[in-house]
């Protein structure tokens, strides 16, 4: 075989043909390799791929992962896998947390501090449950004040404005924010969340002469929905006589919406006096029930001195709260109401005020921030 190739190579015509073939092969090799190098430059080996969910509300089980089209090849080194998803960009969703703000006082009403997680006992629907975490009242507060601008409080207008000013000056801290809703025939958000106390006071002073009916339940539901997306403790302070006249929603719906939004309600019930003909007994009972269900309290000041004391007590309550965390088990996402009973197991000489239950969202409607 080698002899045959040698004889062919000695022939002038055939030698020329072989020479041409060699030149063409060399040229083709030179063209292919540079083109392959340019293709590789489009996807540098060391680049990071950051994946963010394009949906506004990822499901609780979702996390940041690579789409199939961008999955690394099977033979990729394991040490390069961390380059594909930045750990700081991973979305972690906790949607079933039930926060339980709790105020603990002795028999004289003085706040008790220094309690630990193991000092508390939690029962849900009568069953002993584990408390996963406990924080103190340093947690920021998102407050909404419902200011009654209806005609029913025309005679107590100055008293109500004075109450609102005391609220902002005594209760708010630098880390807190507050908003204002106006309770009227058609209640509305008058001032979005802000930490500017002067702006909040100017908003109240800017309200005109009170008139019209009172859609108190609608205002409570709207305010609870407004607070729901925000982190921290959600607190509602209602400055009103509590009289309801024209809301589209009833009392039961209002309680359900408030508990589902994890709002704690304090009520400064103005415009009520000792005269039996002026005292709205039905309104008082409703306000006591709604505040009691959420772990709040009702104050009925009749003088400016009592008004100062009421807001001092609210401020002290928020400043000394324990915030407990509970993660539901079998009852998660069943759409039902579950009773909460919280006690201090280490002491018998105390009174504890906390929410009395919560509504679990239905599984098909669960989204981020449902709890």
């Amino acid at each position: 075989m080698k002899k045959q190739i040698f004889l062919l190579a000695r022939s002038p015509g055939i030698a020329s043909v072989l020479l041409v073939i060699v030149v063409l092969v060399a040229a083709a090799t030179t063209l292919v390799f540079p083109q392959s190098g340019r293709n590789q430059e489009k996807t540098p080996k060391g680049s990071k791929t950051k994946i963010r969910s394009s949906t506004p509300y990822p499901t609780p089980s979702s996390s940041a992962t690579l789409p199939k089209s961008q999955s690394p090849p099977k033979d990729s080194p394991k040490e390069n896998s961390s380059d594909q998803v930045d750990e700081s960009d991973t979305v972690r969703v906790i949607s079933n947390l039930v926060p339980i703000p709790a105020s603990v006082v002795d028999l004289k009403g003085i706040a008790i501090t220094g309690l630990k997680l193991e000092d508390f006992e939690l029962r849900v629907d009568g069953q002993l449950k584990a408390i996963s975490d406990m924080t103190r009242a340093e947690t920021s507060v998102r407050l909404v004040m419902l200011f009654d601008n209806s005609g029913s409080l025309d005679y107590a207008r100055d008293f109500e404005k004075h109450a609102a000013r005391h609220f902002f000056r005594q209760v708010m801290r630098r880390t807190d924010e507050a908003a204002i809703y106006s309770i009227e025939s058609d209640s509305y958000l008058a001032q979005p969340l802000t930490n500017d106390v002067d702006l909040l006071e100017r908003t109240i002073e800017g309200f005109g002469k009170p008139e019209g009916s009172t859609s108190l339940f609608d205002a409570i539901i709207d305010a609870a929905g407004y607070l729901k997306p925000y982190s921290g403790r959600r607190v509602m302070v209602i400055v009103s006589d509590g009289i309801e006249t024209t809301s589209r929603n009833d009392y039961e719906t209002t309680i359900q919406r408030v508990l589902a939004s994890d709002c704690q309600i304090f009520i400064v019930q103005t415009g009520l006096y000792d005269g039996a003909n002026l005292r709205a007994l039905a309104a008082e009972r409703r306000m006591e029930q709604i505040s009691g269900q959420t772990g709040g309290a009702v104050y009925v000041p009749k003088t400016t001195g009592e008004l100062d004391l009421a807001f001092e007590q609210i401020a002290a309550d928020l400043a000394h709260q324990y915030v407990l965390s509970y993660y539901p088990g079998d009852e998660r996402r069943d759409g039902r109401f579950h009773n909460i009973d919280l006690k201090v197991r280490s002491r018998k000489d105390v009174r504890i005020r906390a929410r009395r239950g919560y509504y679990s969202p239905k599984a098909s409607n669960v989204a981020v921030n449902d709890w």
Side-chain angles (χ1 to χ4, degrees):
M1 183 65 179
K2 292 181 179 180
K3 283 186 176 182
Q4 293 175 350
I5 294 175
F6 178 77
L7 292 174
L8 288 171
R10 293 188 62 183
S11 173
I14 295 176
S16 300
V17 172
L18 289 174
L19 180 61
V20 170
I21 292 174
V22 172
V23 172
L24 291 175
V25 170
T29 302
T30 304
L31 290 172
V32 169
F33 288 162
Q35 181 65 31
S36 175
R38 284 194 295 271
N39 286 338
Q40 291 177 350
E41 290 175 1
K42 292 182 179 180
T43 54
K45 184 176 181 181
S47 62
K48 290 185 179 181
T49 303
K50 296 183 180 180
I51 306 300
R52 299 183 187 272
S53 174
S54 60
T55 58
Y57 299 107
T59 60
S61 61
S62 67
S63 60
T65 56
L66 285 171
K68 293 182 180 180
S69 60
Q70 298 183 22
S71 299
K74 294 181 179 179
D75 56 351
S76 296
K78 290 185 178 180
E79 57 268 21
N80 287 342
S81 61
S82 62
D83 289 340
Q84 298 301 320
V85 179
D86 193 334
E87 184 178 354
S88 63
D89 290 333
T90 302
V91 178
R92 295 179 176 85
V93 179
I94 301 174
S95 63
N96 59 326
L97 170 68
V98 179
I100 308 174
S103 301
V104 184
V105 298
D106 61 18
L107 298 180
K108 296 181 179 180
I110 300 174
I112 295 177
T113 60
L115 295 176
K116 300 179 180 179
L117 181 64
E118 55 267 24
D119 293 324
F120 291 91
E121 178 182 285
L122 173 66
R123 292 184 181 271
V124 178
D125 297 331
Q127 300 297 317
L128 188 64
K129 299 293 182 179
I131 302 172
S132 61
D133 190 22
M134 183 187 78
T135 58
R136 290 305 307 273
E138 288 78 11
T139 308
S140 61
V141 176
R142 299 294 177 265
L143 302 137
V144 169
M145 193 193 71
L146 274 61
F147 188 87
D148 198 333
N149 277 310
S150 65
S152 65
L153 275 179
D154 190 13
Y155 61 90
R157 184 64 167 181
D158 292 339
F159 187 59
E160 187 182 27
K161 284 189 174 182
H162 184 71
R165 288 195 296 270
H166 275 70
F167 163 71
F168 294 124
R169 292 173 187 170
Q170 296 186 28
V171 178
M172 283 190 65
R173 304 169 303 176
R174 288 181 297 177
T175 58
D176 300 331
E177 290 183 315
I180 299 174
Y181 266 80
S182 177
I183 304 174
E184 303 180 15
S185 301
D186 295 312
S187 301
Y188 67 96
L189 176 65
Q191 172 58 52
L193 281 171
T194 179
N195 58 6
D196 187 338
V197 175
D198 291 337
L199 178 58
L200 294 165
E201 291 184 348
R202 288 198 301 270
T203 300
I204 293 173
E205 293 299 332
F207 288 136
K209 179 181 173 63
E211 58 184 5
S213 56
T214 310
S215 297
L216 176 59
F217 293 161
D218 289 348
I220 294 174
I221 290 175
D222 289 346
Y226 177 74
L227 283 176
K228 189 174 182 179
Y230 292 94
S231 60
R233 288 177 289 166
R234 303 171 191 136
V235 177
M236 195 181 303
V237 175
I238 301 174
V239 183
S240 170
D241 59 6
I243 297 174
E244 159 63 43
T245 57
T246 55
S247 287
R248 298 182 299 274
N249 297 281
D250 58 16
Y251 173 75
E252 294 300 328
T253 301
T254 303
I255 285 286
Q256 182 175 353
R257 297 288 184 85
V258 167
L259 290 175
S261 299
D262 295 330
C263 287
Q264 186 177 21
I265 295 182
F266 294 89
I267 299 168
V268 179
Q269 200 161 5
T270 60
L272 300 182
Y273 302 98
D274 291 331
N277 56 334
L278 297 176
R279 197 170 174 86
L281 297 179
E284 282 188 273
R285 286 194 294 269
R286 284 197 300 263
M287 295 299 97
E288 290 173 356
Q289 290 170 358
I290 196 170
S291 62
Q293 286 287 338
T294 63
V298 178
Y299 302 94
V300 189
K302 299 178 180 65
T303 66
T304 55
E306 291 181 3
L307 180 64
D308 291 338
L309 180 59
F311 279 101
E312 286 176 5
Q313 290 176 334
I314 294 176
D317 205 332
L318 295 176
H320 296 99
Q321 277 185 337
Y322 298 89
V323 184
L324 309 173
S325 299
Y326 162 64
Y327 291 93
D330 297 337
E331 73 276 14
R332 182 187 304 176
R333 303 177 191 174
D334 59 7
R336 299 178 180 179
F337 179 80
H338 299 278
N339 292 292
I340 287 178
D341 183 20
L342 185 67
K343 295 181 179 179
V344 177
R345 70 174 77 187
S346 60
R347 296 184 59 168
K348 302 298 182 182
D349 60 334
V350 300
R351 291 182 291 118
I352 185 169
R353 190 172 68 249
R355 62 190 301 182
R356 298 177 186 173
Y358 74 96
Y359 278 94
S360 176
K362 293 182 180 179
S364 58
N365 296 328
V366 172
V368 173
N369 292 327
D370 272 346
W371 295 113

